[in-house]
Amino acid sequence: MIENLQDGHMIDTMVKEHKHILSMLDELQNIALQLSDDDQDNGITLMHRANELAAKIIGAEPHHQREEQVLFTAMEELGISGPPQVMRMEHEVMREMKHDLKSETENIDVDWSVRVEKVSQLISELCNMLRQHIDKENNILYPMALQSITADIQWEEMRIRCDEIGYCCFCPETQKELDGASI
């Protein structure tokens, strides 16, 4: 179902953003594996990269806003409230985790072994939760939305509202895809 969507359909765009996020999670998990309390010199470089990735993942906020304000709202108007509510709650938890990771990777002057342990744990928790969240959206929520919202005109109106909210900083091709797409 999702694989048959046209480029630029709002669900197609969200799935593509998920792919970018998942690749950043892969890199974050690799950093967590390399972090060591024995090698602070290399670790500082890894912390800086983890900080950059945390900032990019925080940059996914327009993705969450489009889901919450456009997709979830449309589903709730159709009486589908449980799954969107769960996703909203998870967004809130993940927002806090992302900001915690960014903060923890900025202040590396404190006890190095404590910092390594805390950052590694945050990366693990964030990556696990975000991967599960993306899986639920891609395989449950989005197909549910595609089955429930059947009018092409509604999808077009929703895409226009998504355009008004904006797109992720790490997906510059998204706007180009949207410019040439219908629904």
Side-chain angles (χ1 to χ4, degrees):
M1 179 180 291
I2 289 175
E3 55 280 346
N4 297 327
L5 294 173
Q6 292 180 351
D7 281 344
H9 187 287
M10 66 177 280
I11 299 292
D12 179 68
T13 300
M14 289 177 178
V15 169
K16 286 178 180 174
E17 289 170 338
H18 281 168
K19 288 179 185 175
H20 285 277
I21 293 167
L22 289 169
S23 70
M24 288 186 279
L25 297 181
D26 289 342
E27 188 175 351
L28 268 177
Q29 287 182 303
N30 190 34
I31 287 170
L33 292 173
Q34 293 179 57
L35 274 176
S36 157
D37 41 356
D38 299 340
D39 186 4
Q40 189 168 350
D41 290 337
N42 185 45
I44 289 172
T45 301
L46 293 169
M47 287 284 189
H48 288 303
R49 182 60 185 150
N51 183 268
E52 291 170 1
L53 289 166
K56 284 184 176 184
I57 293 170
I58 290 168
E61 187 56 29
H63 173 92
H64 300 306
Q65 293 299 316
R66 290 191 325 271
E67 287 177 333
E68 292 171 4
Q69 296 174 24
V70 181
L71 183 63
F72 297 174
T73 300
M75 293 176 74
E76 289 164 339
E77 288 170 359
L78 294 171
I80 303 167
S81 59
Q85 287 175 348
V86 170
M87 295 297 105
R88 272 193 187 94
M89 288 188 300
E90 288 182 6
H91 284 176
E92 287 303 316
V93 171
M94 290 184 297
R95 281 182 181 107
E96 187 173 324
M97 293 171 80
K98 292 180 229 179
H99 286 280
D100 286 349
L101 179 59
K102 186 167 185 327
S103 176
E104 291 295 331
T105 54
E106 287 171 347
N107 181 16
I108 53 178
D109 294 335
V110 298
D111 184 338
W112 181 252
S113 61
V114 171
R115 179 70 46 219
V116 166
E117 184 177 332
K118 186 154 188 165
V119 167
S120 295
Q121 182 180 350
L122 269 169
I123 287 172
S124 176
E125 290 171 2
L126 175 62
C127 289
N128 288 336
M129 184 172 194
L130 197 43
R131 284 183 190 284
Q132 289 174 8
H133 179 84
I134 287 171
D135 185 64
K136 285 185 272 190
E137 286 183 340
N138 284 353
N139 295 306
I140 299 169
L141 190 86
Y142 294 168
M144 186 183 300
L146 289 166
Q147 288 177 337
S148 304
I149 304 167
T150 56
D152 287 347
I153 188 69
Q154 185 175 5
W155 283 109
E156 179 61 25
E157 291 166 356
M158 291 167 59
R159 188 190 63 80
I160 291 167
R161 286 189 304 191
C162 286
D163 291 348
E164 292 167 359
I165 293 169
Y167 295 88
C168 297
C169 62
F170 51 82
C171 293
E173 71 280 358
T174 301
Q175 190 57 48
K176 288 181 224 161
E177 291 170 5
L178 291 174
D179 289 342
S182 55
I183 53 171

